[in-house]
Each structure stands twice: as structure tokens, then as C-alpha cells.
Amino acid sequence: MLVLEYKAVGRPEQYRQIDEAIRTAQFVRNKCLRLWKDAKKGEGKVGRQEISRYTTVLRRKFEWCNKLNSTAIQAAGDRAWAAISRFYDNLKNGIKPAGYPRFKKNVRSVEYKHSGWELDAANKRIVFTDGFVIGTLKLKGSYDLALYGVDRIKRVRLLRRADGYYVQFAIKINRSENAEPTGRAVGLDVGLESFYTDSEGHKVENPRFLRKAENRLRLLNRRVSRKKKGSSNRKKARNCYARKHLQVSRQRKAHATEKARDVMMSNDFVAYEDLRVSDMVKNRNLAKSINDASWYQFRCWLEYYGRVFGKVTVAVPPQYTSQTCSACERKVQKSLSTRTHVCRCGHVQDRDHNAARNILQKGLATAGHAGSLAENSENAWGLDVRPAPQLAVKVEPGIPGL
């Protein structure tokens, strides 16, 4: 599935109608969730089919609700069921916290399926034809929708962000690109000091986008607190604050996309740690730095580009990758402040470099092809584990992750 995003250009009245459509979708989603909660208290049973039928009941019961396209109402019900099914799956798999479904009060998007919209791909315009009379919106972006065809578009989403409104198209297509085999394998150790260190000792600097923007964010936040609640000036100040956070988010995504693409184009085999970031951020001292590093987003893009280029990605258990000596496999206990690995066998190496070598060995063993890390040698899989060159690749904003 490929997601293409465009900036929606319209009139203020059209934006107000988009907000009404979003609020209606939020209402339907919360009502479907209430149906499930009430049935749960009464020991009843509400499944996907019951929720789907209930969306039809809501259309008949509320005249203003019927203004929203029927497929958009179905999509809102699907969102409620997605939260419910995810909760049950987490309980089944023993994941804690399981994520009990909650009512939403600040939904920012509404999703249409196959109807309720008409696309003019040649002129980059889309017309929404449901009862809210949103009308024609211009699409501002560089992607050419005519290359894929309207029949491949499975979902259309109207999205509100701090800097305006956007239209996203979910296109059913298997994206693939030809990449020359490099014969190289690499292990990656992500960290806070460096964004990642590979098994050859190459380090990528941690950009720390949030840390660099903190002074500006504090200033903007103070401006919000000084404005009168409910006033137009306070809304403007909140919007400026939200725009800065949005900028940081986009910087993280662009950086993770670029580095993941570089890594996958430079190697045929990539091993990385299977980190539980959601558990790691419970450490209040490191939570902000971990979130700022965007480890999970980087992993998602690695796996995505692995599928695009036909490369192999392997997530390995992170236990003892920093403590184990990559030369003799002896355990060397060290604290987080110890940045140099020193073993009794005489092996001295940067802590992250040593961990990356262990990650590569674990990845090759997991794939059933354990090999040597000796320089200029090939492992049992035929992959050269010499340093991979860093390629300069243009970032493609808007290409989706998972």
C-alpha cells in the first residue's frame, strides 16, 4: 500500500465543512465504542458485524449524521472496531498495558472509501460530494496520481494539521525498485550518543531535533499561557506552538527515511536490535531523548525499504549485545557511562561498535548463516562484511511507512 499526500487548498467555508465532517466521524466512532462498552457491562456480545449494522442505525437516528457519506461512516465504525480488536489481541498475547479503548475528543481526520469523492487527477482537483458540500479542493503536491489510476485508490482521507488541511490517497500497489547487489552485511546499534553505529565502526550523528527546538518551544508555550482562555489570540498562539512541534516531527521522519534508505541501498543484509521502545520510555530520565531519537520509526523504514529493494532485515534480541565481547564472547559487565569495551582477552573497542558486531553475528546466526567478521572475508551466506559506503540519496517525503 502506497500513501500519497497533498496539501488541500480551498476556502475558509470549505475548511469549516471539513471540520464538521471530522466531528461527525468522531461522533460515530465514539457511539460505536459506547455500544461495545454497554454490551460488555451487560455480558452481551458486540462484534464487527454488530458495529457495522449500528452505523446504519446512527444514520437513520440522526439526520445531521446522514450528511456524511455512508462509506465514511463505515470507516468510522471500522476505527472503533480496530481499537477493540487491538485490545483483545494485546490481552491474548500478554502485552501490558493492553490499551483499553477510549473515547476520542480530538479526532483530526475523516476517511472515505470508494464513494463520496470524485478525482480529477490531470488537473489535481478532488470533489467531495456528500451532504457537507465541501466541494472542489485543489491538490498541492508533486506526485502524479494519473500514473496509478483511480481504480487503485482504496481510501481517501481528509486530515487536519496545525499548518492546514491535507488529502491522503491510499493506493493498492506493491512498490519495488531494482537495487544492485552489494554483497555486504551490516549490524546496527542505535543509541543516544550517536543515532546508530554500524558493525564497521561508522557512526551517524544523532540530530536531536527536539532538543534543538526546546528553547523556541518554551517561548511559544509561555506565549500561550499569557493569552486569555477562549480568545482568538490564544488560538493563534497555540497554532504557532503546534506548528513548531509539527516541524520537529517532519524533521525526524525525513532523517529516519534518508538514513534507512542509505543503509538498505548499501547492504544486502541488515541486522538490528528488537527493542521494546514503549517499555524503554517508561524511564523518565531517558524518555525524551529516546523519543527524540525515533528508533522505532527508523526500524519501520528499514523494514519498508527492505521490502522495496528486496533486501533482508533481521531483528535480533538485544540482551547482552553491549556486554558480550565480539572477539571472545566473554561477558564484560559495564555501566551505561562506560563507553569503551575492554576485555581480558586484550580486545579494546568502542562500546557501540562492539555491540554492532555482536548484533551482526546474532543476525547471521538467526538467518542460519553465521559467518566470520574478519575483514575482507565472506561469511557462509556469501556476503562481504566490509564497510558499506554511505550513499547520498534524496529524501522522498510522503512515501509511507507501514
Side-chain angles (χ1 to χ4, degrees):
M1 192 71 73
L2 182 66
V3 177
L4 301 182
E5 183 177 290
Y6 296 82
K7 183 75 175 286
V9 180
R11 301 184 305 276
E13 178 59 30
Q14 291 177 293
Y15 297 149
R16 283 192 288 269
Q17 293 302 321
I18 293 175
D19 289 338
E20 288 296 325
I22 292 174
R23 279 193 286 269
T24 303
Q26 174 181 294
F27 171 80
V28 173
R29 189 257 183 203
N30 288 340
K31 290 292 286 185
C32 291
L33 189 56
R34 169 55 64 191
L35 176 71
W36 173 77
K37 286 190 174 186
D38 291 344
K40 191 171 181 289
K41 290 179 182 178
E43 297 184 357
K45 183 179 180 182
V46 171
R48 186 167 191 171
Q49 293 183 353
E50 287 75 16
I51 288 180
S52 180
R53 287 195 290 264
Y54 188 60
T55 58
T56 304
V57 174
L58 291 175
R59 293 182 63 202
R60 295 171 181 170
K61 186 175 181 180
F62 300 96
E63 182 179 353
W64 52 269
C65 189
N66 196 34
K67 293 171 64 177
L68 188 62
N69 181 264
S70 60
T71 63
I73 292 180
Q74 292 172 6
D78 291 342
R79 287 185 179 183
W81 176 246
I84 296 168
S85 61
R86 183 168 55 248
F87 168 68
Y88 283 133
D89 290 341
N90 290 344
L91 286 178
K92 183 178 179 180
N93 297 326
I95 299 176
K96 295 182 180 180
Y100 192 79
R102 297 180 179 181
F103 297 111
K104 297 292 185 180
K105 62 179 181 180
N106 192 23
V107 173
R108 297 182 178 90
S109 65
V110 58
E111 193 171 78
Y112 296 79
K113 296 184 180 180
H114 298 285
S115 64
W117 55 274
E118 296 177 0
L119 177 65
D120 183 0
N123 296 316
K124 287 189 176 180
R125 282 176 168 79
I126 185 170
V127 182
F128 289 93
T129 58
D130 59 2
F132 286 104
V133 197
I134 296 173
T136 303
L137 296 173
K138 296 180 182 179
L139 302 177
K140 185 178 179 181
S142 58
Y143 300 107
D144 189 1
L145 279 170
L147 293 176
Y148 306 100
V150 179
D151 58 325
R152 288 182 176 270
I153 300 176
K154 300 304 177 184
R155 298 289 177 102
V156 175
R157 177 182 295 173
L158 275 169
L159 180 65
R160 181 181 66 234
R161 290 202 177 103
D163 62 341
Y165 295 81
Y166 292 81
V167 181
Q168 291 181 343
F169 297 91
I171 302 172
K172 187 176 182 180
I173 186 173
N174 294 323
R175 182 188 173 194
S176 62
E177 295 183 19
N178 294 325
E180 293 295 329
T182 63
R184 294 190 177 97
V186 70
L188 302 179
D189 177 66
V190 295
L192 298 178
E193 184 177 348
S194 301
F195 183 66
Y196 73 77
T197 303
D198 66 22
S199 52
E200 295 301 329
H202 299 153
K203 290 179 176 288
V204 172
E205 182 183 0
N206 189 349
R208 296 183 174 88
F209 295 115
L210 180 61
R211 293 292 183 182
K212 294 177 181 178
E214 276 187 324
N215 291 336
R216 180 64 178 170
L217 286 170
R218 277 194 288 266
L219 174 63
L220 294 173
N221 196 23
R222 284 198 297 269
R223 289 179 180 176
V224 174
S225 63
R226 291 169 183 166
K227 307 300 181 184
K228 183 179 179 180
K229 291 185 177 180
S231 66
S232 298
N233 286 335
R234 186 179 177 90
K235 291 181 180 179
K236 292 177 183 178
R238 288 183 60 189
N239 183 260
C240 290
Y241 182 68
R243 281 172 180 256
K244 189 61 181 178
H245 270 295
L246 182 61
Q247 180 188 22
V248 172
S249 175
R250 286 171 171 166
Q251 287 175 330
R252 287 175 179 169
K253 178 183 177 181
H255 181 264
T257 305
E258 179 184 12
K259 297 307 175 184
R261 187 181 176 99
D262 287 353
V263 170
M264 297 313 305
M265 289 190 67
S266 304
N267 302 277
D268 290 340
F269 181 96
V270 178
Y272 47 85
E273 292 176 296
D274 187 13
L275 298 174
R276 291 188 176 274
V277 179
S278 59
D279 292 337
M280 297 175 70
V281 295
K282 293 177 182 178
N283 185 333
R284 295 185 178 181
N285 296 325
L286 298 176
K288 183 182 291 186
S289 298
I290 291 174
N291 285 324
D292 198 17
S294 302
W295 292 341
Y296 182 73
Q297 189 174 42
F298 178 61
R299 171 181 174 170
C300 290
W301 282 103
L302 280 176
E303 294 171 349
Y304 173 73
Y305 280 118
R307 293 192 295 270
V308 170
F309 297 131
K311 306 295 184 69
V312 180
T313 58
V314 176
V316 303
Q319 288 80 9
Y320 305 111
T321 54
S322 296
Q323 310 292 342
T324 304
C325 178
S326 59
C328 67
E329 298 185 357
R330 183 183 285 111
K331 297 291 190 302
V332 181
Q333 296 295 331
K334 57 179 77 72
S335 64
L336 290 174
S337 60
T338 305
R339 305 311 306 170
T340 303
H341 171 81
V342 181
C343 183
R344 286 183 294 173
C345 69
H347 184 64
V348 180
Q349 198 169 46
D350 177 79
R351 175 197 180 104
D352 297 336
H353 186 190
N354 176 75
R357 288 165 61 95
N358 287 327
I359 292 169
L360 177 58
Q361 289 282 31
K362 277 190 174 184
L364 294 172
T366 302
H369 303 284
S372 173
L373 279 172
E375 190 174 11
N376 298 329
S377 65
E378 292 187 352
N379 56 39
W381 201 18
L383 290 173
D384 188 355
V385 293
R386 290 175 295 179
Q390 296 298 315
L391 302 180
V393 181
K394 183 179 179 181
V395 180
E396 299 179 5
I399 298 177
L402 300 179

